[in-house]
Amino acid sequence: MTEPGERRRRTTSTATRERPVRDARDAARRAADALSELIRHHLEGVSAVCRSEDDGWIVNVDVLEVARIPDTTSLLATYEVELDSAGGLVRYRRIARYRRGAQDQ
């Protein structure tokens, strides 16, 4: 993951993107890399990975959208990232936004 305020460097080569996704760990890494190239927020982690109906992957990536003091009031968001079976980005969208200190509903 990247440090706050730091732009993530591209770490995936064309050959890596053309190679099929091996497993959930590979899908999570590729989804996080793809999302970090599109948005300028610090990635916090991956909270879910599952297969899609068309042999692709759906990955939920959590990001820090607004850093605040104290940290428990910072705003985070969960993005749903969909990859095809080759690991290419199909789409992404923000599905939730919440305070770090908020309990799950």
Side-chain angles (χ1 to χ4, degrees):
M1 303 297 153
T2 58
E3 293 299 317
E6 179 183 312
R7 181 112 192 208
R8 187 178 185 105
R9 291 189 187 130
R10 296 182 83 176
T11 57
T12 56
S13 67
T14 305
T16 302
R17 289 189 181 141
E18 293 172 356
R19 184 173 36 97
V21 177
R22 293 184 311 259
D23 54 19
R25 181 181 300 172
D26 191 26
R29 183 185 50 78
R30 290 191 196 198
D33 287 347
L35 187 64
S36 71
E37 290 178 12
L38 297 171
I39 64 173
R40 293 181 182 232
H41 298 300
H42 173 73
L43 300 179
E44 291 283 309
V46 172
S47 55
V49 179
C50 66
R51 283 284 206 175
S52 64
E53 293 177 6
D54 59 353
D55 280 337
W57 294 87
I58 297 174
V59 181
N60 289 354
V61 181
D62 300 316
V63 301
L64 174 64
E65 288 201 331
V66 180
R68 292 186 176 158
I69 298 174
D71 190 49
T72 55
T73 62
S74 294
L75 291 178
L76 291 99
T78 300
Y79 285 79
E80 181 180 84
V81 180
E82 185 175 342
L83 305 175
D84 60 22
S85 60
L89 178 67
V90 174
R91 69 181 179 98
Y92 77 98
R93 66 188 179 113
R94 185 172 64 191
I95 58 172
R97 195 169 193 207
Y98 54 94
R99 266 184 324 146
R100 185 184 299 275
Q103 294 179 354
D104 288 344
Q105 302 271 332

XYZ file of all heavy atoms in Angstrom:
833
model
N 0.840 -1.170 0.000
C 0.000 0.000 0.000
C 0.892 1.242 0.000
O 2.076 1.164 0.232
C -0.919 0.008 1.206
C -1.801 -1.212 1.338
S -2.922 -1.342 -0.032
C -3.167 -3.085 -0.067
N 0.297 2.404 -0.220
C 1.070 3.634 -0.299
C 0.943 4.423 0.994
O 0.015 4.233 1.771
C 0.575 4.510 -1.464
O -0.808 4.782 -1.248
C 0.795 3.825 -2.791
N 1.889 5.321 1.204
C 1.827 6.216 2.348
C 0.845 7.335 2.033
O 0.627 7.657 0.865
C 3.218 6.810 2.624
C 4.225 5.786 3.094
C 3.809 5.124 4.393
O 3.341 5.805 5.310
O 3.933 3.891 4.487
N 0.249 7.978 3.060
C -0.685 9.066 2.799
C -0.026 10.155 1.960
O 1.108 10.547 2.210
C -1.027 9.585 4.202
C -0.778 8.413 5.100
C 0.368 7.669 4.472
N -0.745 10.628 0.954
C -0.239 11.690 0.098
C 0.731 11.238 -0.968
O 1.156 12.023 -1.790
N 1.111 9.978 -0.955
C 2.066 9.463 -1.937
C 1.321 8.777 -3.059
O 0.406 8.018 -2.830
C 3.003 8.453 -1.253
C 4.016 7.830 -2.178
C 4.853 6.803 -1.447
O 5.338 7.118 -0.346
O 5.000 5.689 -1.953
N 1.716 9.070 -4.277
C 1.076 8.439 -5.439
C 1.711 7.082 -5.666
O 2.922 6.946 -5.683
C 1.278 9.328 -6.658
C 0.642 8.764 -7.875
C -0.482 9.597 -8.293
N -1.187 8.796 -9.285
C -1.881 9.283 -10.236
N -2.015 10.560 -10.339
N -2.485 8.505 -11.083
N 0.918 6.077 -5.845
C 1.408 4.719 -6.046
C 2.003 4.592 -7.441
O 1.422 5.020 -8.410
C 0.270 3.721 -5.862
C 0.747 2.315 -5.898
C -0.434 1.377 -5.657
N 0.051 0.037 -5.569
C 0.162 -0.641 -4.463
N -0.196 -0.109 -3.340
N 0.628 -1.861 -4.470
N 3.168 3.965 -7.536
C 3.798 3.717 -8.820
C 3.162 2.519 -9.480
O 2.696 1.605 -8.815
C 5.283 3.440 -8.631
C 6.044 4.648 -8.195
C 7.522 4.343 -8.250
N 8.250 5.448 -7.687
C 9.171 5.344 -6.767
N 9.506 4.172 -6.300
N 9.778 6.403 -6.315
N 3.183 2.503 -10.802
C 2.656 1.362 -11.539
C 3.601 0.187 -11.334
O 4.777 0.269 -11.603
C 2.538 1.694 -13.014
C 1.534 2.812 -13.252
C 1.403 3.063 -14.683
N 0.464 2.072 -15.201
C 0.062 2.049 -16.442
N 0.520 2.910 -17.296
N -0.778 1.141 -16.837
N 3.036 -0.910 -10.831
C 3.875 -2.064 -10.533
C 3.517 -3.275 -11.376
O 4.191 -4.272 -11.320
C 3.744 -2.463 -9.046
O 2.365 -2.720 -8.765
C 4.263 -1.364 -8.140
N 2.448 -3.175 -12.145
C 2.048 -4.317 -12.950
C 2.450 -4.088 -14.398
O 2.197 -3.034 -14.955
C 0.529 -4.549 -12.865
O -0.140 -3.355 -13.245
C 0.113 -4.969 -11.480
N 3.092 -5.057 -14.965
C 3.511 -4.946 -16.364
C 2.403 -5.437 -17.273
O 1.436 -6.057 -16.844
C 4.766 -5.781 -16.603
O 4.463 -7.141 -16.461
N 2.548 -5.166 -18.548
C 1.571 -5.643 -19.520
C 1.483 -7.155 -19.488
O 0.397 -7.728 -19.557
C 1.958 -5.168 -20.936
O 2.083 -3.743 -20.895
C 0.918 -5.559 -21.953
N 2.622 -7.830 -19.344
C 2.626 -9.297 -19.286
C 1.845 -9.805 -18.086
O 1.138 -10.807 -18.172
C 4.056 -9.816 -19.239
N 1.943 -9.109 -16.950
C 1.210 -9.516 -15.755
C -0.285 -9.385 -15.980
O -1.054 -10.242 -15.586
C 1.631 -8.653 -14.550
O 3.030 -8.793 -14.364
C 0.912 -9.079 -13.297
N -0.714 -8.317 -16.641
C -2.139 -8.106 -16.874
C -2.718 -9.116 -17.851
O -3.881 -9.413 -17.808
C -2.377 -6.689 -17.381
C -2.164 -5.671 -16.296
C -2.601 -4.318 -16.745
N -2.353 -3.372 -15.681
C -1.919 -2.163 -15.872
N -1.695 -1.725 -17.081
N -1.709 -1.358 -14.867
N -1.918 -9.607 -18.760
C -2.410 -10.564 -19.745
C -2.480 -11.977 -19.174
O -3.149 -12.831 -19.723
C -1.521 -10.543 -20.985
C -1.617 -9.232 -21.744
C -0.602 -9.117 -22.852
O 0.237 -10.031 -22.999
O -0.636 -8.102 -23.560
N -1.792 -12.224 -18.084
C -1.790 -13.536 -17.444
C -3.069 -13.699 -16.641
O -3.496 -12.782 -15.948
C -0.566 -13.599 -16.524
C -0.335 -14.910 -15.848
C 0.986 -14.905 -15.102
N 1.324 -13.642 -14.493
C 1.107 -13.337 -13.218
N 0.555 -14.190 -12.413
N 1.455 -12.169 -12.736
N -3.730 -14.858 -16.731
C -4.967 -15.064 -15.961
C -4.729 -14.916 -14.455
O -3.637 -15.188 -13.963
C -5.365 -16.501 -16.298
C -4.623 -16.858 -17.528
C -3.380 -16.025 -17.528
N -5.764 -14.504 -13.754
C -5.684 -14.380 -12.298
C -5.578 -15.783 -11.717
O -6.365 -16.664 -12.025
C -6.933 -13.659 -11.747
C -6.886 -13.599 -10.239
C -7.038 -12.263 -12.347
N -4.570 -15.996 -10.858
C -4.307 -17.319 -10.294
C -5.245 -17.682 -9.155
O -5.722 -18.802 -9.056
C -2.863 -17.398 -9.787
C -1.819 -17.324 -10.873
C -0.427 -17.495 -10.305
N -0.169 -16.646 -9.152
C 0.520 -15.514 -9.185
N 1.033 -15.094 -10.308
N 0.715 -14.814 -8.102
N -5.465 -16.728 -8.246
C -6.248 -17.031 -7.047
C -6.767 -15.727 -6.445
O -6.571 -14.654 -7.005
C -5.401 -17.804 -6.036
C -4.091 -17.113 -5.685
O -3.957 -15.891 -5.917
O -3.177 -17.796 -5.175
N -7.439 -15.833 -5.295
C -8.030 -14.659 -4.648
C -6.965 -13.636 -4.251
O -7.189 -12.430 -4.366
C -8.837 -15.091 -3.429
N -5.817 -14.097 -3.797
C -4.744 -13.174 -3.414
C -4.279 -12.356 -4.620
O -4.084 -11.143 -4.528
C -3.569 -13.952 -2.823
C -2.432 -13.039 -2.385
C -1.291 -13.832 -1.829
N -1.763 -14.598 -0.682
C -1.055 -15.512 -0.060
N 0.156 -15.801 -0.456
N -1.544 -16.159 0.963
N -4.122 -13.018 -5.757
C -3.714 -12.339 -6.988
C -4.792 -11.350 -7.430
O -4.490 -10.224 -7.838
C -3.447 -13.384 -8.078
C -2.774 -12.818 -9.311
O -2.074 -11.785 -9.207
O -2.935 -13.418 -10.390
N -6.058 -11.739 -7.329
C -7.161 -10.844 -7.694
C -7.169 -9.608 -6.792
O -7.354 -8.482 -7.273
C -8.491 -11.580 -7.593
N -6.951 -9.803 -5.495
C -6.934 -8.681 -4.550
C -5.807 -7.708 -4.890
O -6.008 -6.493 -4.913
C -6.777 -9.196 -3.124
N -4.625 -8.233 -5.180
C -3.487 -7.377 -5.522
C -3.746 -6.600 -6.801
O -3.514 -5.393 -6.864
C -2.217 -8.219 -5.654
C -0.969 -7.383 -5.927
C 0.259 -8.245 -6.178
N 0.055 -9.298 -7.157
C 0.037 -9.105 -8.483
N 0.148 -7.911 -8.975
N -0.136 -10.133 -9.295
N -4.263 -7.268 -7.805
C -4.517 -6.600 -9.091
C -5.613 -5.540 -8.970
O -5.517 -4.474 -9.567
C -4.899 -7.615 -10.153
C -3.728 -8.487 -10.562
C -4.088 -9.268 -11.772
N -3.184 -10.378 -12.005
C -3.091 -10.990 -13.169
N -3.822 -10.613 -14.190
N -2.256 -11.996 -13.314
N -6.651 -5.836 -8.197
C -7.725 -4.857 -8.000
C -7.203 -3.624 -7.266
O -7.514 -2.490 -7.645
C -8.877 -5.486 -7.234
N -6.408 -3.833 -6.224
C -5.839 -2.707 -5.477
C -4.923 -1.883 -6.377
O -4.969 -0.643 -6.360
C -5.081 -3.216 -4.253
N -4.101 -2.532 -7.184
C -3.213 -1.818 -8.110
C -4.009 -1.008 -9.127
O -3.703 0.153 -9.390
C -2.287 -2.794 -8.841
C -1.184 -3.354 -7.961
O -0.972 -2.813 -6.853
O -0.550 -4.332 -8.378
N -5.045 -1.612 -9.703
C -5.860 -0.928 -10.703
C -6.569 0.282 -10.098
O -6.592 1.369 -10.695
C -6.869 -1.890 -11.309
N -7.131 0.127 -8.899
C -7.837 1.229 -8.254
C -6.881 2.355 -7.893
O -7.194 3.535 -8.087
C -8.585 0.737 -7.015
C -9.488 1.765 -6.345
C -10.623 2.187 -7.285
C -10.049 1.215 -5.050
N -5.699 2.013 -7.403
C -4.739 3.051 -7.004
C -4.261 3.877 -8.191
O -3.852 5.021 -8.024
C -3.552 2.440 -6.263
O -2.739 1.719 -7.152
N -4.316 3.319 -9.402
C -3.952 4.077 -10.595
C -5.043 5.083 -10.974
O -4.775 6.039 -11.690
C -3.700 3.134 -11.770
C -2.434 2.314 -11.618
C -2.218 1.345 -12.767
O -2.926 1.464 -13.790
O -1.350 0.484 -12.645
N -6.267 4.877 -10.480
C -7.392 5.718 -10.869
C -7.782 6.762 -9.832
O -8.297 7.822 -10.187
C -8.610 4.838 -11.165
C -8.442 3.879 -12.336
C -9.599 2.910 -12.393
C -8.329 4.651 -13.641
N -7.589 6.457 -8.564
C -7.983 7.404 -7.513
C -6.748 7.808 -6.721
O -5.763 7.096 -6.678
C -9.073 6.822 -6.589
C -8.556 5.617 -5.820
C -10.317 6.456 -7.381
C -9.528 5.109 -4.769
N -6.821 8.940 -6.076
C -5.668 9.462 -5.326
C -5.883 9.361 -3.821
O -5.668 10.314 -3.095
C -5.413 10.910 -5.705
C -4.962 11.073 -7.115
C -4.716 12.520 -7.407
N -4.317 12.666 -8.785
C -3.232 13.309 -9.162
N -2.466 13.876 -8.268
N -2.928 13.407 -10.424
N -6.321 8.203 -3.385
C -6.536 7.989 -1.957
C -5.629 6.871 -1.471
O -5.278 5.965 -2.222
C -7.993 7.611 -1.673
C -8.977 8.671 -2.055
N -8.970 9.937 -1.519
C -10.009 8.650 -2.930
C -9.948 10.649 -2.039
N -10.593 9.885 -2.910
N -5.277 6.935 -0.197
C -4.458 5.909 0.441
C -5.263 4.625 0.578
O -6.378 4.626 1.105
C -4.004 6.403 1.816
C -3.301 5.372 2.621
N -2.034 4.952 2.340
C -3.700 4.665 3.707
C -1.682 4.025 3.220
N -2.675 3.839 4.055
N -4.719 3.528 0.093
C -5.397 2.236 0.220
C -5.200 1.699 1.630
O -4.088 1.655 2.141
C -4.838 1.234 -0.785
C -4.959 1.609 -2.260
C -4.332 0.526 -3.124
C -6.398 1.829 -2.642
N -6.302 1.282 2.249
C -6.250 0.720 3.594
C -6.141 -0.796 3.560
O -5.525 -1.386 4.415
C -7.509 1.120 4.371
C -7.585 2.590 4.711
C -6.692 2.952 5.876
O -6.759 2.294 6.925
O -5.922 3.914 5.732
N -6.779 -1.427 2.580
C -6.735 -2.872 2.500
C -7.887 -3.415 1.678
O -8.692 -2.674 1.138
N -7.931 -4.719 1.597
C -8.990 -5.423 0.868
C -9.873 -6.109 1.897
O -9.383 -6.814 2.777
C -8.375 -6.449 -0.112
C -9.453 -7.326 -0.725
C -7.579 -5.735 -1.193
N -11.191 -5.896 1.797
C -12.094 -6.471 2.791
C -12.916 -7.641 2.259
O -13.547 -8.345 3.045
C -13.025 -5.398 3.353
O -13.728 -4.747 2.312
N -12.910 -7.870 0.937
C -13.647 -9.011 0.391
C -13.149 -9.333 -1.014
O -12.782 -8.436 -1.769
C -15.145 -8.719 0.352
N -13.143 -10.630 -1.334
C -12.792 -11.109 -2.670
C -13.720 -12.273 -2.981
O -13.880 -13.183 -2.163
C -11.328 -11.617 -2.745
C -11.011 -12.120 -4.140
C -10.340 -10.550 -2.324
N -14.351 -12.237 -4.150
C -15.180 -13.369 -4.565
C -15.211 -13.459 -6.083
O -14.919 -12.497 -6.776
C -16.595 -13.271 -3.991
S -17.553 -11.903 -4.629
N -15.542 -14.633 -6.570
C -15.675 -14.864 -8.003
C -16.955 -14.220 -8.509
O -17.972 -14.225 -7.821
C -15.762 -16.362 -8.296
C -14.452 -17.068 -8.215
C -13.657 -16.765 -9.420
N -12.705 -17.832 -9.681
C -11.950 -17.841 -10.736
N -12.030 -16.905 -11.631
N -11.079 -18.800 -10.914
N -16.908 -13.667 -9.713
C -18.123 -13.154 -10.334
C -18.739 -14.263 -11.176
O -18.135 -15.325 -11.363
C -17.811 -11.925 -11.189
O -16.975 -12.264 -12.270
N -19.933 -14.026 -11.678
C -20.644 -15.050 -12.437
C -19.960 -15.399 -13.759
O -20.167 -16.472 -14.298
C -22.082 -14.604 -12.693
C -22.901 -14.535 -11.429
C -24.306 -14.030 -11.669
O -24.692 -13.831 -12.835
O -25.019 -13.830 -10.684
N -19.156 -14.479 -14.289
C -18.515 -14.711 -15.589
C -17.030 -15.080 -15.455
O -16.228 -14.765 -16.323
C -18.679 -13.488 -16.483
C -18.067 -12.232 -15.878
O -17.643 -12.284 -14.714
O -18.014 -11.204 -16.569
N -16.667 -15.753 -14.367
C -15.296 -16.201 -14.085
C -14.305 -15.079 -13.807
O -13.105 -15.301 -13.780
C -14.744 -17.099 -15.208
C -15.259 -18.518 -15.092
O -15.651 -18.917 -13.983
O -15.254 -19.222 -16.111
N -14.814 -13.876 -13.599
C -13.959 -12.776 -13.181
C -13.912 -12.716 -11.666
O -14.186 -13.715 -10.986
N -13.579 -11.549 -11.144
C -13.463 -11.375 -9.694
C -14.124 -10.074 -9.276
O -14.078 -9.090 -10.012
C -11.994 -11.334 -9.281
C -11.290 -12.623 -9.518
C -10.676 -13.030 -10.672
C -11.142 -13.688 -8.592
N -10.154 -14.285 -10.505
C -10.413 -14.719 -9.244
C -11.531 -13.882 -7.276
C -10.084 -15.903 -8.614
C -11.200 -15.065 -6.654
C -10.481 -16.061 -7.316
N -14.701 -10.053 -8.086
C -15.220 -8.843 -7.472
C -14.466 -8.658 -6.160
O -14.427 -9.560 -5.323
C -16.735 -8.935 -7.224
C -17.452 -9.064 -8.575
C -17.225 -7.716 -6.452
C -18.935 -9.302 -8.465
N -13.833 -7.497 -6.029
C -12.969 -7.227 -4.876
C -13.416 -5.924 -4.218
O -13.620 -4.917 -4.905
C -11.488 -7.103 -5.318
C -10.587 -6.855 -4.125
C -11.051 -8.337 -6.099
N -13.587 -5.934 -2.900
C -13.884 -4.714 -2.149
C -12.586 -4.170 -1.570
O -11.901 -4.870 -0.811
C -14.878 -4.987 -1.025
C -16.265 -5.278 -1.534
O -16.537 -5.179 -2.735
N -17.157 -5.639 -0.639
N -12.257 -2.937 -1.948
C -11.027 -2.283 -1.514
C -11.403 -1.097 -0.633
O -12.219 -0.261 -1.032
C -10.190 -1.802 -2.720
C -8.905 -1.140 -2.257
C -9.889 -2.968 -3.664
N -10.821 -1.031 0.554
C -11.085 0.063 1.486
C -10.006 1.125 1.339
O -8.818 0.805 1.264
C -11.112 -0.461 2.923
C -12.189 -1.514 3.118
O -13.313 -1.309 2.616
O -11.913 -2.545 3.757
N -10.439 2.396 1.278
C -9.501 3.501 1.106
C -9.796 4.594 2.126
O -10.924 4.735 2.599
C -9.556 4.095 -0.322
C -9.244 3.057 -1.366
C -10.882 4.744 -0.602
N -8.764 5.359 2.453
C -8.899 6.529 3.313
C -9.192 7.716 2.403
O -8.355 8.104 1.595
C -7.605 6.761 4.099
C -7.544 8.026 4.942
C -8.593 7.975 6.051
C -6.153 8.193 5.517
N -10.404 8.282 2.508
C -10.773 9.400 1.639
C -10.468 10.747 2.271
O -10.029 11.656 1.586
C -12.250 9.321 1.250
C -12.524 8.200 0.270
C -13.808 8.394 -0.492
O -14.764 9.020 0.032
O -13.863 7.900 -1.634
N -10.707 10.886 3.577
C -10.443 12.153 4.258
C -9.801 11.835 5.602
O -10.437 11.255 6.482
C -11.743 12.967 4.480
C -11.433 14.277 5.192
C -12.466 13.224 3.163
N -8.538 12.225 5.760
C -7.841 12.016 7.032
C -8.218 13.140 7.994
O -8.219 14.313 7.614
C -6.339 11.991 6.807
N -8.548 12.767 9.230
C -8.921 13.753 10.243
C -8.230 13.427 11.553
O -7.763 12.318 11.765
C -10.438 13.750 10.457
C -11.210 14.260 9.264
C -12.671 14.368 9.595
N -13.416 14.952 8.492
C -14.706 14.785 8.313
N -15.411 14.084 9.173
N -15.319 15.346 7.301
N -8.222 14.413 12.448
C -7.689 14.223 13.779
C -8.842 14.454 14.742
O -9.500 15.496 14.658
C -6.535 15.205 14.071
C -5.403 14.934 13.098
C -6.074 15.080 15.512
C -4.261 15.917 13.185
N -9.159 13.511 15.633
C -8.496 12.227 15.823
C -8.818 11.269 14.674
O -9.803 11.426 13.955
C -9.060 11.701 17.142
C -10.401 12.334 17.256
C -10.287 13.681 16.571
N -7.973 10.257 14.546
C -8.056 9.298 13.452
C -9.400 8.584 13.393
O -9.853 8.193 12.312
C -6.915 8.281 13.593
C -6.784 7.398 12.382
O -6.763 7.931 11.256
O -6.719 6.169 12.560
N -10.057 8.437 14.522
C -11.340 7.716 14.550
C -12.438 8.483 13.813
O -13.492 7.918 13.535
C -11.800 7.444 15.993
O -11.839 8.679 16.706
C -10.879 6.457 16.669
N -12.216 9.754 13.484
C -13.213 10.533 12.745
C -12.878 10.623 11.251
O -13.607 11.270 10.504
C -13.344 11.954 13.326
O -12.097 12.636 13.203
C -13.778 11.912 14.784
N -11.806 9.986 10.815
C -11.447 9.979 9.393
C -12.540 9.291 8.581
O -13.218 8.394 9.071
C -10.128 9.230 9.177
O -9.062 9.919 9.774
N -12.694 9.734 7.336
C -13.685 9.134 6.450
C -13.026 8.106 5.547
O -12.026 8.392 4.881
C -14.363 10.200 5.591
C -15.267 11.169 6.325
C -15.838 12.199 5.341
C -16.392 10.444 7.031
N -13.590 6.907 5.550
C -13.120 5.827 4.688
C -14.219 5.471 3.704
O -15.378 5.841 3.892
C -12.740 4.603 5.521
C -11.496 4.800 6.380
C -11.904 5.118 7.800
C -10.647 3.581 6.335
N -13.848 4.747 2.668
C -14.824 4.298 1.685
C -14.453 2.897 1.233
O -13.286 2.508 1.272
C -14.857 5.235 0.489
N -15.460 2.166 0.819
C -15.246 0.852 0.228
C -15.616 0.943 -1.249
O -16.701 1.423 -1.589
C -16.112 -0.221 0.912
O -15.753 -0.276 2.301
C -15.893 -1.593 0.285
N -14.689 0.529 -2.086
C -14.904 0.496 -3.529
C -15.038 -0.949 -3.978
O -14.259 -1.800 -3.556
C -13.739 1.140 -4.276
C -13.721 2.648 -4.198
C -13.243 3.303 -3.079
C -14.206 3.406 -5.257
C -13.230 4.685 -3.012
C -14.200 4.790 -5.194
C -13.719 5.418 -4.069
O -13.711 6.792 -4.011
N -16.021 -1.206 -4.825
C -16.180 -2.514 -5.431
C -15.476 -2.468 -6.785
O -15.798 -1.642 -7.636
C -17.659 -2.831 -5.624
C -17.904 -4.187 -6.240
C -19.386 -4.441 -6.413
O -19.939 -3.989 -7.434
O -19.970 -5.065 -5.509
N -14.491 -3.344 -6.954
C -13.699 -3.393 -8.179
C -13.985 -4.720 -8.862
O -13.872 -5.776 -8.238
C -12.188 -3.273 -7.871
C -11.369 -3.327 -9.147
C -11.899 -1.998 -7.087
N -14.372 -4.660 -10.122
C -14.645 -5.883 -10.868
C -13.547 -6.105 -11.900
O -13.211 -5.200 -12.672
C -15.995 -5.802 -11.571
C -16.387 -7.094 -12.254
C -17.779 -7.055 -12.862
O -18.577 -6.175 -12.493
O -18.059 -7.921 -13.710
N -12.976 -7.301 -11.884
C -11.937 -7.702 -12.829
C -12.474 -8.797 -13.728
O -13.281 -9.621 -13.299
C -10.709 -8.245 -12.091
C -10.056 -7.360 -11.041
C -8.939 -8.123 -10.344
C -9.535 -6.079 -11.662
N -11.985 -8.845 -14.974
C -12.329 -9.979 -15.828
C -11.407 -11.144 -15.480
O -10.545 -11.031 -14.609
C -12.265 -9.609 -17.314
C -10.896 -9.133 -17.779
O -9.873 -9.457 -17.130
O -10.843 -8.438 -18.805
N -11.580 -12.281 -16.145
C -10.806 -13.473 -15.796
C -9.308 -13.293 -16.047
O -8.491 -13.976 -15.443
C -11.322 -14.685 -16.562
O -11.200 -14.459 -17.955
N -8.953 -12.344 -16.899
C -7.540 -12.072 -17.173
C -6.957 -11.032 -16.226
O -5.784 -10.698 -16.303
C -7.372 -11.605 -18.622
N -7.771 -10.511 -15.326
C -7.285 -9.521 -14.364
C -7.433 -8.090 -14.824
O -6.974 -7.174 -14.156
N -8.086 -7.868 -15.955
C -8.301 -6.507 -16.448
C -9.457 -5.842 -15.722
O -10.451 -6.478 -15.359
N -9.340 -4.546 -15.515
C -10.375 -3.778 -14.830
C -11.601 -3.661 -15.726
O -11.507 -3.217 -16.869
C -9.856 -2.384 -14.470
C -10.843 -1.449 -13.783
C -11.177 -1.966 -12.393
C -10.275 -0.052 -13.704
N -12.744 -4.075 -15.209
C -14.010 -3.964 -15.934
C -14.739 -2.709 -15.471
O -15.206 -1.911 -16.265
C -14.887 -5.216 -15.720
C -16.258 -5.042 -16.358
C -14.186 -6.447 -16.253
N -14.830 -2.540 -14.148
C -15.487 -1.362 -13.583
C -15.130 -1.233 -12.111
O -14.647 -2.179 -11.493
C -16.996 -1.434 -13.753
C -17.654 -2.493 -12.907
C -19.173 -2.535 -13.134
N -19.745 -3.595 -12.314
C -20.327 -3.386 -11.129
N -20.421 -2.175 -10.646
N -20.817 -4.393 -10.451
N -15.388 -0.046 -11.568
C -15.279 0.154 -10.130
C -16.323 1.176 -9.720
O -16.774 1.977 -10.529
C -13.868 0.589 -9.714
C -13.543 2.036 -9.981
C -13.637 2.983 -8.969
C -13.132 2.465 -11.237
C -13.337 4.310 -9.203
C -12.823 3.781 -11.477
C -12.931 4.705 -10.461
O -12.636 6.018 -10.698
N -16.720 1.115 -8.457
C -17.670 2.085 -7.926
C -17.557 2.113 -6.414
O -17.214 1.113 -5.783
C -19.099 1.758 -8.339
C -19.634 0.465 -7.751
C -20.989 0.087 -8.346
N -21.445 -1.168 -7.770
C -22.500 -1.274 -6.973
N -23.233 -0.221 -6.691
N -22.854 -2.450 -6.486
N -17.839 3.283 -5.835
C -17.854 3.392 -4.382
C -19.184 2.858 -3.889
O -20.240 3.279 -4.342
C -17.676 4.851 -3.945
C -17.576 4.984 -2.440
C -17.205 6.359 -2.001
N -18.250 7.294 -2.365
C -18.123 8.610 -2.298
N -17.002 9.150 -1.913
N -19.121 9.389 -2.642
N -19.125 1.917 -2.953
C -20.356 1.308 -2.452
C -20.690 1.720 -1.022
O -21.812 1.501 -0.569
C -20.322 -0.232 -2.567
C -19.144 -0.830 -1.805
C -20.302 -0.654 -4.027
C -19.177 -2.350 -1.722
N -19.720 2.305 -0.318
C -19.982 2.730 1.056
C -18.985 3.819 1.449
O -17.871 3.863 0.943
C -19.855 1.556 2.022
N -19.422 4.687 2.349
C -18.546 5.698 2.940
C -18.902 5.755 4.421
O -20.084 5.767 4.786
C -18.789 7.049 2.276
C -17.689 8.040 2.574
C -17.838 9.250 1.682
N -16.624 10.039 1.741
C -16.591 11.327 1.521
N -17.682 11.985 1.197
N -15.455 11.976 1.602
N -17.877 5.785 5.269
C -18.132 5.691 6.701
C -16.984 6.301 7.500
O -15.882 6.484 6.993
C -18.334 4.226 7.101
C -17.195 3.310 6.669
C -16.154 3.026 7.544
C -17.144 2.776 5.389
C -15.096 2.208 7.139
C -16.097 1.961 4.970
C -15.090 1.696 5.854
O -14.041 0.912 5.458
N -17.277 6.623 8.770
C -16.234 7.088 9.687
C -15.459 5.887 10.202
O -16.030 4.821 10.445
C -16.859 7.800 10.886
C -16.966 9.273 10.754
C -17.507 9.885 12.018
N -18.499 8.960 12.566
C -18.729 8.775 13.846
N -18.098 9.434 14.735
N -19.614 7.897 14.263
N -14.169 6.055 10.392
C -13.329 4.952 10.887
C -13.850 4.394 12.204
O -13.850 3.200 12.417
C -11.882 5.407 11.046
C -10.943 4.268 11.432
C -9.533 4.736 11.682
N -8.900 5.351 10.559
C -8.254 4.691 9.580
N -8.203 3.386 9.604
N -7.692 5.357 8.613
N -14.307 5.228 13.086
C -14.749 4.769 14.400
C -16.180 4.268 14.450
O -16.652 3.834 15.491
N -16.891 4.291 13.322
C -18.300 3.860 13.318
C -18.397 2.339 13.360
O -17.593 1.640 12.762
C -19.003 4.399 12.082
N -19.417 1.863 14.044
C -19.657 0.422 14.097
C -20.377 -0.019 12.829
O -21.073 0.759 12.187
C -20.550 0.076 15.280
C -19.912 0.329 16.607
C -20.863 -0.024 17.741
O -22.010 -0.353 17.512
N -20.379 0.053 18.954
N -20.186 -1.297 12.475
C -20.929 -1.850 11.334
C -22.405 -1.838 11.658
O -22.814 -2.058 12.786
C -20.504 -3.291 11.033
C -19.122 -3.354 10.412
O -18.627 -2.312 9.949
O -18.557 -4.451 10.384
N -23.225 -1.612 10.674
C -24.675 -1.569 10.856
C -25.259 -2.958 10.833
O -24.982 -3.770 10.065
C -25.307 -0.720 9.760
C -24.764 0.679 9.743
C -25.510 1.634 10.637
O -26.694 1.449 10.881
N -24.842 2.620 11.155
